[in-house]
Amino acid sequence: MTVLLLLALPLLVEASWKKLSVNSSSALEVQSLDYGSYHVKLQQRTNIKQLRKHRFNSLSVRHRQLMVHGGSNGTALIGGLRNEPVEKEHYKLHLTDKQSEYTAPIDIGGQKLNCIYDTGSAMVWVYSSLCNSDICRRHLNRGSRFDLEQADEAFSSSDCYKFVQFGTGSLRGQLGTDDIHLDSLQLPSAGFGMIKHTDDNPVFTLDFDGICGVSYKMEEDSCYNEEGKLVRTSLLQNLQASNLAHKTMTFSFDDSGGGDLSIGSPPLKQAVAVPVTTKFYWETTLKDIKVGGRSLFAEIGWHDPNVHKAKVVFDTGTSVFTMPFDAYSTVHKMAGCDGKGGITYVLGDGREVHINNWYQQMGESCTPLVMDLDIRDQNLFILGQPFFDEHITTFDAENNLVWILPKNA
């Protein structure tokens, strides 16, 4: 049983860089993109039903180990990418469901890996030949890690090392740059992280090769590669700097276990816009949650939104919903096993987001697809995969909006 929670968490201490040598910086050259949209094909893993059936067997015990009391500094980065002119308007990658997450191919210097597209973190991390742990050897046996000995001429390493804490698991690694391709879309000299060590969380044994974070920039760049060039660390910032007509990422999942990720497409006309209130996660304010018509916030004594200041994060890298412990324990008491009526999130402007299927049936019993996660000084709620299964969601980096359209609308 494995629950995936790739939200990059604030740390108690500042995320540390190890800088052994620093050369002069050079400005990032961003060339125009005048083209339309890019499409990434999503496909579900074949054993998703079996995984979900057993997902919650050890949830309670495991989550107590995941309680994080963080500070104010962000932890996740992604490479500085330069967009260059391309010859076609649409790019498609075939995504496969790998148990509890969706992946798509990513090509780093000619080495093809499968990456989770994660709106809860902000950096590209891939397994690499720097790592010799048992977990990394599993990826080596699958032929699914970045091999430095096979790196092309465009590859440049650095002397910068980074630690990242996710909701499930942590990792350490070294930064570098190389040409990245998504289908034939080329991103020259893109920054990325090469995993050198992970903890023993079972999430790292799943069949994926990396994490492609597409959240907001969480930390300032301060690393230089061997050529003395600053390693730029925000994929989203690169998208904002391009000349795409729409600086967007749209996730749409179908009932057969697949889906599409479209880059550069306009939001659907029927979709409603939700403002991003803090440019760290893709987050907005949360006024209440209703279960069977009853107010969860009232049940736990949250009567004034100006006091509890709850927020909700739209996170494609989390396989379930998460709530602070008080809300989590209460929602389990409020909910009936049949899950009739679904669950409704009332956003700060009063708009309601409804999810019907938020239970997992396990034989004659069932359990909500919810786990508890407390982050110090934040009443943070996460809308994970059950939300995306029922909504077409567009992340609009130019206007700082999340566009939402129920599939049955």
Side-chain angles (χ1 to χ4, degrees):
M1 187 287 302
T2 305
V3 172
L4 187 75
L5 206 176
L6 291 181
L7 190 81
L9 297 176
L11 299 178
L12 182 61
V13 296
E14 293 197 6
S16 60
W17 293 90
K18 181 180 180 183
K19 291 177 279 188
L20 301 181
S21 64
V22 177
N23 298 315
S24 60
S25 64
S26 60
L28 178 70
E29 299 176 3
V30 179
Q31 299 186 16
S32 298
L33 276 175
D34 299 320
Y35 303 93
S37 59
Y38 307 96
H39 300 280
V40 180
K41 188 65 182 174
L42 297 163
Q43 192 174 52
Q44 190 177 33
R45 289 182 175 179
T46 56
N47 58 344
I48 183 67
K49 292 183 179 179
Q50 180 180 4
L51 176 79
R52 287 178 175 173
K53 182 177 180 180
H54 300 288
R55 174 178 291 161
F56 296 92
N57 290 348
S58 60
L59 182 60
S60 303
V61 174
R62 177 57 190 154
H63 177 67
R64 301 324 305 172
Q65 301 170 3
L66 301 177
M67 299 294 285
V68 177
H69 300 281
S72 59
N73 204 24
T75 62
L77 305 169
I78 190 169
L81 310 180
R82 295 178 296 176
N83 289 333
E84 294 189 346
V86 292
E87 297 180 353
K88 69 175 188 176
E89 297 183 0
H90 300 282
Y91 299 86
K92 292 183 179 180
L93 297 178
H94 190 65
L95 276 93
T96 304
D97 187 320
K98 298 300 179 84
Q99 296 182 344
S100 59
E101 79 286 346
Y102 289 80
T103 65
I106 182 172
D107 183 310
I108 303 179
Q111 300 186 45
K112 294 177 173 56
L113 304 168
N114 287 309
C115 189
I116 299 170
Y117 288 84
D118 174 31
T119 59
S121 65
M123 181 173 180
V124 170
W125 283 101
V126 293
Y127 290 100
S128 75
S129 56
L130 296 173
C131 183
N132 295 311
S133 68
D134 290 340
I135 288 177
C136 288
R137 280 194 289 271
R138 294 187 188 184
H139 290 271
L140 173 62
N141 293 336
R142 291 198 295 258
S144 56
R145 67 175 186 174
F146 182 78
D147 190 342
L148 276 71
E149 293 185 358
Q150 300 298 320
D152 61 6
E153 293 181 357
F155 172 73
S156 180
S157 186
S158 76
D159 292 319
C160 299
Y161 293 80
K162 179 94 177 137
F163 170 82
V164 178
Q165 174 71 60
F166 295 104
T168 47
S170 63
L171 59 82
R172 299 178 187 272
Q174 184 176 356
L175 300 188
T177 59
D178 206 337
D179 292 345
I180 287 180
H181 289 82
L182 304 177
D183 189 26
S184 59
L185 172 63
Q186 183 179 8
L187 306 171
S189 299
F192 69 103
M194 298 168 284
I195 296 173
K196 189 173 183 179
H197 174 77
T198 70
D199 63 19
D200 59 358
N201 192 291
V203 69
F204 293 117
T205 66
L206 296 177
D207 186 16
F208 67 90
D209 309 324
I211 301 165
C212 292
V214 287
S215 187
Y216 287 93
K217 185 176 180 179
M218 294 180 175
E219 210 168 32
E220 292 302 317
D221 301 319
S222 59
C223 176
Y224 296 83
N225 65 13
E226 293 173 327
E227 298 175 352
K229 297 181 179 180
L230 185 65
V231 179
R232 302 283 178 170
T233 56
S234 175
L235 178 61
L236 189 65
Q237 193 173 51
N238 178 76
L239 177 64
Q240 291 170 308
S242 74
N243 284 340
L244 284 170
H246 303 280
K247 299 170 176 58
T248 59
M249 302 165 291
T250 300
F251 289 82
S252 177
F253 299 89
D254 58 43
D255 296 334
S256 64
D260 293 279
L261 167 59
S262 176
I263 301 174
S265 298
L268 297 177
K269 292 182 178 180
Q270 306 95 317
V272 295
V274 176
V276 175
T277 53
T278 303
K279 292 191 294 182
F280 190 80
Y281 302 125
W282 289 95
E283 66 181 62
T284 193
T285 54
L286 181 63
K287 188 176 182 180
D288 199 0
I289 295 176
K290 295 180 181 178
V291 179
R294 296 165 58 193
S295 167
L296 171 62
F297 284 13
E299 292 287 335
I300 60 177
W302 290 6
H303 301 290
D304 186 352
N306 295 320
V307 175
H308 62 69
K309 297 181 179 179
K311 299 178 181 179
V312 62
V313 175
F314 301 89
D315 183 11
T316 59
T318 296
S319 58
V320 295
F321 296 157
T322 79
M323 301 179 179
F325 181 76
D326 288 346
Y328 161 82
S329 58
T330 303
V331 80
H332 274 256
K333 297 175 183 177
M334 295 173 62
C337 187
D338 56 13
K340 291 181 178 179
I343 186 170
T344 301
Y345 286 68
V346 184
L347 306 183
D349 60 0
R351 183 176 290 115
E352 295 186 349
V353 175
H354 187 76
I355 301 95
N356 287 308
N357 299 314
W358 66 297
Y359 273 78
Q360 176 61 53
Q361 195 71 34
M362 301 174 65
E364 297 181 356
S365 63
C366 67
T367 184
L369 292 167
V370 181
M371 65 180 286
D372 64 308
L373 181 69
D374 284 327
I375 301 176
R376 191 182 71 177
D377 299 330
Q378 297 188 59
N379 288 320
L380 198 67
F381 295 72
I382 297 176
L383 284 172
Q385 192 59 46
F387 162 80
F388 294 100
D389 286 341
E390 297 186 15
H391 295 82
I392 299 172
T393 311
T394 298
F395 296 86
D396 186 342
E398 183 175 18
N399 299 301
N400 299 311
L401 297 170
V402 179
W403 298 82
I404 300 172
L405 177 65
K407 288 184 180 179
N408 58 5

